[in-house]
Amino acid sequence: MDAWELLHTWLDNSALRPSTRAEYFRELAGPKGFLTWCDQQHPPIDAITARPKDIAAWAADRHLKPYLNGRPFDGPDALAQIAQQHPEAGRSHDRRISALTQYYEAALDRGLITLPPNLTALRSGVTRPAGAKNRLNHDERGVLFYVIGMWGPNRSKHYQRDRLAAWLLLEGMRPAHVVRVDKRHLYPQPDGTWQVRAPDDHENVGKQFVLEPLTGAAVQDYLKVRPDPVDPACHTLLLNDARRPLQSRWVNRVIGQMAATHPLLADREPPVTADTVAHTGFWDTPAG
């Protein structure tokens, strides 16, 4: 099966809305589409085995140059500029990355690849538009639980960290708080639960959270693989590839990438963001 056959097979059998299938086909197969771009390269690129740098080159060449004011498309910093100055362009770009994410999920399901490209760093992470619906409904939340559980080593080399970030959002923490959780303020309890003090907006030790069992298990899984920070004085729980604290925009990117793996969430308008997850929470009504 070649790249074009995969595209048609995936979309013909997808649970996406017809309008979304048409949009994804245009983004991938139209004059500016990724598969079209791959065929036009010298030598041509096999879209099924394309690398993140190929996808970044396509995005810059066909879509993002007008918004970069002459700067190169050099990764997250350029995307942050687009997200801040041209949020609609950022949302359109993230939609294209969602289409490609599902395309590679289809390739994985059909045994054409063993590991899909990690496209998290290629998302702009545009925040939720003002006035947008800010909670997942019952079915959407159930699917979110599923995609978090399925987020494993075949999707991200830092899957334990990514899962933990998602569970912390479901505890009600905002993205800016998730990336500032201090390892020193994690408190294991005799009954197996965990308590955590999330920093407030002024860097003080803030609200206490008693973590749900799923979040507690994610804490334990991540602590087993958490690298030592570059700066020994850094106690931030979640660290990036450079072993430094993450930025809150990263939380939006990873949630967007998780959501893009399932049609119910990828097809949602407005898109699923970290704020959406934080407003949703674990349950409709508090326990007890």
Side-chain angles (χ1 to χ4, degrees):
M1 181 181 292
D2 68 15
W4 290 90
E5 290 173 315
L6 172 61
L7 177 66
H8 289 288
T9 301
W10 161 51
L11 288 178
D12 288 348
N13 295 280
S14 172
L16 291 163
R17 290 194 300 259
S19 59
T20 304
R21 289 200 297 269
E23 179 185 349
Y24 282 7
F25 183 82
R26 182 179 66 252
E27 295 291 7
L28 299 184
K32 293 185 176 182
F34 181 62
L35 272 64
T36 306
W37 180 87
C38 286
D39 286 351
Q40 294 172 346
Q41 301 311 295
H42 302 286
I45 295 170
D46 180 2
I48 293 178
T49 58
R51 299 159 295 178
K53 72 175 187 178
D54 299 318
I55 296 167
W58 159 70
D61 185 28
R62 296 298 167 90
H63 298 286
L64 300 181
K65 279 183 180 177
Y67 305 103
L68 290 170
N69 297 324
R71 72 172 290 175
F73 181 47
D74 53 4
D77 289 344
L79 285 169
Q81 174 182 310
I82 291 172
Q84 182 177 10
Q85 298 179 3
H86 307 282
E88 289 304 322
R91 291 188 186 97
S92 296
H93 170 75
D94 285 355
R95 187 80 164 166
R96 296 181 199 104
I97 298 301
S98 291
L100 277 169
T101 297
Q102 292 187 74
Y103 178 77
Y104 288 114
E105 288 289 317
L108 182 67
D109 290 343
R110 289 161 177 78
L112 300 177
I113 56 175
T114 57
L115 186 69
N118 184 352
L119 304 183
T120 303
L122 291 181
R123 301 187 75 89
S124 70
V126 176
T127 54
R128 180 172 53 91
K133 183 173 60 173
N134 64 1
R135 293 188 69 195
L136 301 179
N137 64 32
H138 178 81
D139 291 341
E140 291 168 341
R141 181 175 51 199
V143 171
L144 178 66
F145 275 47
Y146 168 77
V147 301
I148 296 171
M150 291 294 290
W151 193 257
N154 62 331
R155 290 178 169 86
S156 169
K157 66 179 180 179
H158 301 297
Y159 69 94
Q160 299 100 327
R161 179 199 65 191
D162 301 348
R163 284 178 181 170
L164 176 54
W167 295 129
L168 289 171
L169 288 168
L170 282 164
E171 296 284 352
M173 294 187 196
R174 302 297 295 275
H177 298 155
V178 167
V179 296
R180 296 208 305 267
V181 170
D182 191 311
K183 186 172 179 285
R184 294 170 297 179
H185 298 308
L186 286 170
Y187 308 108
Q189 303 299 302
D191 63 358
T193 62
W194 287 74
Q195 292 181 3
V196 59
R197 291 278 186 179
D200 64 17
D201 293 333
H202 304 287
E203 301 294 341
N204 299 314
V205 176
K207 178 181 175 182
Q208 175 178 288
F209 291 82
V210 179
L211 302 181
E212 293 284 344
L214 286 170
T215 313
V219 169
Q220 290 180 303
D221 287 345
Y222 176 61
L223 288 176
K224 294 174 185 176
V225 298
R226 177 184 180 269
D228 292 328
V230 170
D231 180 359
C234 171
H235 301 285
T236 305
L237 179 63
L238 303 180
L239 302 174
N240 62 19
D241 279 330
R243 297 183 290 138
R244 300 182 187 279
L246 290 152
Q247 297 181 337
S248 59
R249 187 174 298 279
W250 167 83
V251 187
N252 263 325
R253 292 203 299 264
V254 77
I255 289 297
Q257 192 66 5
M258 287 181 175
T261 63
H262 195 284
L264 182 65
L265 300 182
D267 206 18
R268 185 182 188 267
E269 287 295 341
V272 180
T273 66
D275 271 344
T276 310
V277 177
H279 280 91
T280 297
F282 268 91
W283 317 113
D284 284 325
T285 55

